[in-house]
Amino acid sequence: MRPSFFFDRSSRSGRASAARRCVLASLIVALALVMPAGPSGFVAGASASVPQPDAVPTRWQLDFQVGPMRLITLESDTGEPRAWWYMTLEVENNSGRDQFFVPAFDLTTDEGQVVRAGRGVPGKVYRELLDLLDDPLLDTQFAVQDVLLQGEENARRVLIVWPAADLDADELSVFFIGFSGENEAYRVRDPETGELREFVLRKTYRVDYCVPGEMWNRGSRPFERCGSQWVLR
């Protein structure tokens, strides 16, 4: 029997250069020790104030519904059974103008893994899930990359799939990228050169899932949703 879905509403050269980029990336991800830097953004400094999205959207923002997150075992291209995380999403453009829609979906685990949706997912898995869900309006995240026209009649339904690389995780977080035009400049001081590097944090929607017990033994039961919020990432 296919699972039923109920939607709930709701971005030096050589080794030395590589090492420096890793340090800078870690600083950005942590968003630690942030203070205002005037109109041009934020600078890592001595006071602690993590940048947050504006309470009222200041740029375009899409409306979307996030469906339940589930685990399923399907054969990969090699014929070996493999676990996959998947969910569906419905997105609607009520922003007042057509928007170019190229979404991305990052999944993180409490074990520190980061997985980008679609990477390493063969077409065979998408086809089997589309057949299983039996929704003629459902498309893969790649098929919906296009101009999203305004209005309910132009809403798109999206299938999102990740390779389930960590079945021991107790918590999962999904970051929905490309659903808002809001961003914030963020400056990080290079720990080696002392120079300021500027990056752009994008308003991104985050949904957290709690997965107590053995994930592989859940069957088609959806994961418990235990939090959601807009963040700058």
Side-chain angles (χ1 to χ4, degrees), residues 98-103 141-149 156:
D98 298 341
Q99 300 291 345
F100 193 60
F101 184 52
V102 185
Q141 68 179 86
F142 306 108
V144 301
Q145 294 180 0
D146 201 348
V147 174
L148 183 60
L149 303 179
R156 302 299 302 270

Side-chain angles (χ1 to χ4, degrees), residues 143-160:
V144 301
Q145 294 180 0
D146 201 348
V147 174
L148 183 60
L149 303 179
Q150 301 174 66
E152 181 179 0
E153 66 276 11
N154 295 307
R156 302 299 302 270
R157 297 177 188 170
V158 188
L159 172 63
I160 311 162

Side-chain angles (χ1 to χ4, degrees), residues 164-192:
D166 184 3
L167 296 182
D168 294 323
D170 295 318
E171 296 178 8
L172 305 174
S173 295
V174 177
F175 294 87
F176 299 81
I177 306 159
F179 292 80
S180 169
E182 185 178 334
N183 56 67
E184 186 74 57
Y186 178 73
R187 295 181 184 177
V188 178
R189 193 172 299 279
D190 190 309
E192 293 186 9

Side-chain angles (χ1 to χ4, degrees), residues 197-216:
R197 300 283 300 277
E198 185 170 300
F199 300 86
V200 176
L201 302 178
R202 302 176 62 186
K203 186 175 181 180
T204 302
Y205 194 64
R206 170 178 175 168
V207 179
D208 300 320
Y209 298 90
C210 298
V211 194
E214 298 176 329
M215 188 184 301
W216 60 269

Side-chain angles (χ1 to χ4, degrees), residues 11 85 102-108 113-121 126 141-142 145 160-163 175 177 202 233:
S11 192
W85 292 304
V102 185
F105 308 92
D106 286 345
L107 182 149
T108 66
Q113 291 195 341
V114 181
V115 186
R116 173 62 60 95
R119 290 182 180 171
V121 182
Y126 281 112
Q141 68 179 86
F142 306 108
Q145 294 180 0
I160 311 162
V161 188
W162 301 263
F175 294 87
I177 306 159
R202 302 176 62 186
R233 179 176 184 264

Side-chain angles (χ1 to χ4, degrees), residues 27 43 126 139 151 167:
L27 288 172
V43 179
Y126 281 112
D139 278 316
L167 296 182

